[in-house]
Amino acid sequence: MTTRIPTSTSVSESAVIAAPLAQVWHMIKLQDFHKFWSKLSKSDYVKGASPETDVVQWTFKDGTVLDVKQEEHSTIDHFITYSIIASTPALTYTSVLSTVRCYPITSGGSEGSTFVQWTANFSSDADAGVIEDARFKRKEALADLADVVVGGAAKK
């Protein structure tokens, strides 16, 4: 009998990016993630997928394709929340809800920079491998975001 290792089903990764909030927030659109995230080859709107919200298809360089549904977006509070509604290959867990949130740093040594937090809450059937993979991908994507925003060279 295989015993599952108990694990948290949430992930939270963050970074301080040495750029103003407006510059970082400009990149946080589901359809634009390929402009900074080096693992994505493209991100395109899925036309007609949902009458009430945006659905974007993320195609990763390894061939994985995710249909990502925007659940919430706030230009006032600077966050976007999304869920994965389809995946090729199929996911090994039932669901995940992720949020990318940006905060201006208004004082101290990093004043004028942006604090970015990328969280995920997985269904209880996600195993430790899924959680660690999500943690690694978020750290990598946040580093990519910082490189693009600070370096000024968006991916094509």
Side-chain angles (χ1 to χ4, degrees), residues 138-149:
R138 279 162 178 73
K139 282 183 177 184
E140 184 178 63
L142 289 169
D144 289 346
L145 177 60
D147 288 346
V148 167
V149 171

Side-chain angles (χ1 to χ4, degrees), residues 9 25 34 46 58 65 67 78 89 114-115 119 135 149:
T9 56
W25 178 242
H34 73 282
V46 179
W58 287 349
V65 177
D67 285 359
H78 301 102
T114 305
F115 177 81
T119 62
R135 185 177 316 286
V149 171

Side-chain angles (χ1 to χ4, degrees), residues 114-130:
T114 305
F115 177 81
V116 182
Q117 181 183 39
W118 194 342
T119 62
N121 291 296
F122 289 85
S123 53
S124 63
D125 55 347
D127 64 20
V130 167

Side-chain angles (χ1 to χ4, degrees), residues 3-156:
T3 304
R4 231 181 91 148
I5 299 170
T7 186
S8 171
T9 56
S10 64
V11 171
S12 180
E13 293 300 328
S14 60
V16 173
I17 298 178
L21 174 67
Q23 199 173 338
V24 177
W25 178 242
H26 178 71
M27 301 297 292
I28 310 299
K29 297 175 184 73
L30 295 177
Q31 71 276 11
D32 289 341
F33 273 42
H34 73 282
K35 292 180 180 177
F36 70 85
W37 196 358
S38 63
K39 293 292 184 193
L40 284 178
S41 60
K42 64 180 180 172
S43 49
D44 299 307
Y45 279 112
V46 179
K47 296 189 188 312
S50 173
E52 66 244 8
T53 191
D54 294 332
V55 175
V56 173
Q57 188 168 81
W58 287 349
T59 304
F60 288 82
K61 292 178 180 175
D62 71 358
T64 301
V65 177
L66 301 178
D67 285 359
V68 180
K69 178 183 173 191
Q70 181 173 292
E71 300 289 352
E72 191 172 4
H73 179 263
S74 174
T75 57
I76 294 170
D77 293 322
H78 301 102
F79 73 89
I80 187 167
T81 299
Y82 65 91
S83 62
I84 298 172
I85 59 171
S87 175
T88 304
L91 299 174
T92 60
Y93 50 90
T94 306
S95 65
V96 60
L97 188 67
S98 298
T99 299
V100 180
R101 189 177 300 265
C102 299
Y103 299 91
I105 299 176
T106 59
S107 63
S110 295
E111 183 175 349
S113 296
T114 305
F115 177 81
V116 182
Q117 181 183 39
W118 194 342
T119 62
N121 291 296
F122 289 85
S123 53
S124 63
D125 55 347
D127 64 20
V130 167
I131 302 305
E132 284 307 303
D133 183 60
R135 185 177 316 286
F136 174 76
K137 284 180 178 166
R138 279 162 178 73
K139 282 183 177 184
E140 184 178 63
L142 289 169
D144 289 346
L145 177 60
D147 288 346
V148 167
V149 171
V150 174
K155 285 179 40 204
K156 299 279 183 209

